């Protein structure tokens, strides 16, 4: 995402999210615990706009997405979204579905790593938000459920049919997206849906530790690695190798590359600037 901005000022507060930023780490919490953090129209829009703002500012080096209370996120709010969509016309429905997809694109395209901190349920749109993250840190209570066919819709919602086969393979993705059956933490780890399985109640702590490790690291190198992982998903090998070569040539002119050599020569840890 471009760091350039127009006349719009920074959003002073977020109505549908709790946002905290410290030491280069943004912690974004879905905070409707009484509704298992079910998403509303406003929550989707806030996530989309927040990620765009943080990407422009370039002050955040890692982001943790978490859920308050008994679970991560139960998906779209049945009353506030599913009920409301029944009275929308086709143009309105297209706008809504495009907006939910924009959130997933924002997670994948923001220039910093995103860590989903998971406990309890991650269902429907909540499961796709977790899927879009770069890391999924979960405790044993976590369970995923891609429930879209259960409500009569395609399992390929919000980019799930693109992302899930690339994470767990086509066979597992077909089963999860078609049947909508829950996948508990142990199976999710086995099929590669979870990056790290923690002890119960330790997902947030582990996610923060990982986020701070990433925030102290070479931010530009991480940003370009994330960009290449996303861009090369559908590229032929020759194009991928050429893109890798161009990216490395640019990074070799950067301050961090020179800093590594200086630190190695002086036998000290590198002081990464992200440039």
């Amino acid at each position: 995402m471009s760091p350039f901005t127009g006349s719009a000022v920074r959003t002073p507060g977020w109505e549908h999210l709790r946002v905290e930023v410290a030491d280069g780490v943004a912690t974004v919490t879905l905070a409707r615990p009484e509704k298992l953090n079910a998403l509303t129209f406003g929550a989707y829009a806030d996530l989309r706009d927040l990620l765009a703002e943080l990407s422009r500012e370039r002050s955040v080096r890692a982001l943790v997405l978490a859920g308050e209370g008994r679970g991560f996120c139960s998906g779209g709010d049945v009353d506030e979204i599913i009920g409301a969509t029944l009275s929308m016309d086709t143009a309105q429905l297209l706008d809504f579905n495009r907006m939910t997809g924009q959130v997933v694109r924002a997670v994948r395209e923001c220039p910093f790593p995103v860590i989903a901190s998971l406990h309890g349920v991650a269902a429907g749109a909540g499961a796709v938000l977790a899927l879009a993250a770069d890391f999924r840190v979960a405790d044993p209570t976590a369970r995923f459920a891609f429930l879209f066919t259960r409500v009569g819709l395609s399992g390929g919602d919000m980019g799930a049919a693109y992302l899930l086969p690339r994470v767990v393979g086509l066979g597992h993705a077909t089963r999860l997206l078609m049947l909508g059956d829950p996948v508990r933490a142990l199976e999710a780890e086995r099929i590669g849906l979870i990056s790290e399985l923690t002890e119960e109640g330790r997902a947030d702590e582990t996610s923060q530790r990982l986020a701070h490790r990433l925030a102290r690291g070479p931010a530009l190198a991480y940003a370009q690695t994330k960009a290449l992982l996303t861009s090369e998903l559908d590229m032929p090998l020759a194009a991928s190798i050429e893109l890798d070569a161009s990216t490395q040539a640019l990074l070799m002119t950067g301050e961090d590359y020179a800093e590594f050599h200086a630190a190695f020569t002086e036998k000290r840890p590198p002081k990464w600037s992200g440039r």
Side-chain angles (χ1 to χ4, degrees):
M1 295 184 184
S2 169
F4 301 104
T5 185
S7 304
V9 297
R10 182 180 182 181
T11 305
W14 300 93
E15 180 181 349
H16 305 283
L17 307 167
R18 188 166 68 246
V19 181
E20 302 162 282
V21 180
D23 301 323
V25 174
T27 302
V28 179
T29 306
L30 307 175
R32 296 183 75 207
E34 73 284 357
K35 292 289 190 76
L36 270 175
N37 301 318
L39 297 166
T40 61
F41 294 111
Y44 280 116
D46 270 3
L47 279 170
R48 175 199 62 196
D49 295 347
L50 170 65
L51 287 163
E53 282 196 18
L54 294 178
S55 298
R56 288 193 300 268
E57 290 175 6
R58 299 296 166 98
S59 58
V60 167
R61 292 191 168 199
L63 184 146
V64 175
L65 181 61
E68 183 180 321
R70 295 180 293 117
F72 174 68
C73 177
S74 59
D77 189 290
V78 173
D79 295 320
E80 294 194 32
I81 288 187
I82 296 180
T85 54
L86 293 174
S87 61
M88 290 182 177
D89 62 28
T90 303
Q92 292 171 316
L93 291 169
L94 185 56
D95 283 342
F96 165 64
N97 282 284
R98 282 176 171 162
M99 177 177 68
T100 65
Q102 287 164 359
V103 175
V104 170
R105 283 191 61 184
V107 173
R108 292 303 318 144
E109 294 176 3
C110 64
F112 42 78
V114 176
I115 303 161
S117 178
L118 304 167
H119 69 287
V121 67
V128 184
L129 282 180
L131 176 65
D134 301 289
F135 300 89
R136 284 165 293 284
V137 176
D139 82 3
T141 69
R143 62 189 187 277
F144 297 82
F146 297 87
L147 298 173
F148 306 107
T149 60
R150 296 287 186 95
V151 300
L153 297 177
S154 164
D157 194 60
M158 296 172 61
Y162 178 90
L163 292 171
L164 192 58
R166 289 163 170 80
V167 173
V168 302
L170 181 59
H172 290 306
T174 300
R175 171 171 60 93
L176 299 184
L177 293 182
M178 282 198 178
L179 300 179
D181 291 340
V183 180
R184 299 191 178 274
L186 287 177
E187 182 188 0
E189 183 186 33
R190 178 178 64 81
I191 65 176
L193 189 52
I194 286 176
S195 309
E196 182 174 355
L197 186 61
T198 74
E199 297 177 6
E200 188 166 344
R202 302 294 291 274
D204 286 346
E205 174 189 338
T206 304
S207 295
Q208 288 292 331
R209 186 163 59 246
L210 174 58
H212 281 84
R213 174 185 172 184
L214 290 163
R216 291 190 299 268
L220 185 58
Y222 291 155
Q224 291 307 116
T225 301
K226 177 172 180 171
L228 292 178
L229 284 167
T230 299
S231 298
E232 294 182 17
L233 284 172
D234 297 312
M235 280 187 181
L237 178 60
S240 295
I241 289 174
E242 181 63 23
L243 183 57
D244 287 353
S246 300
T247 301
Q248 295 296 55
L250 288 171
L251 289 178
M252 285 174 178
T253 69
E255 293 178 16
D256 279 348
Y257 187 64
E259 166 60 14
F260 166 77
H261 184 262
F264 181 83
T265 302
E266 297 166 16
K267 296 181 171 55
R268 60 171 175 80
K271 298 176 182 177
W272 305 114
S273 67
R275 296 184 177 87

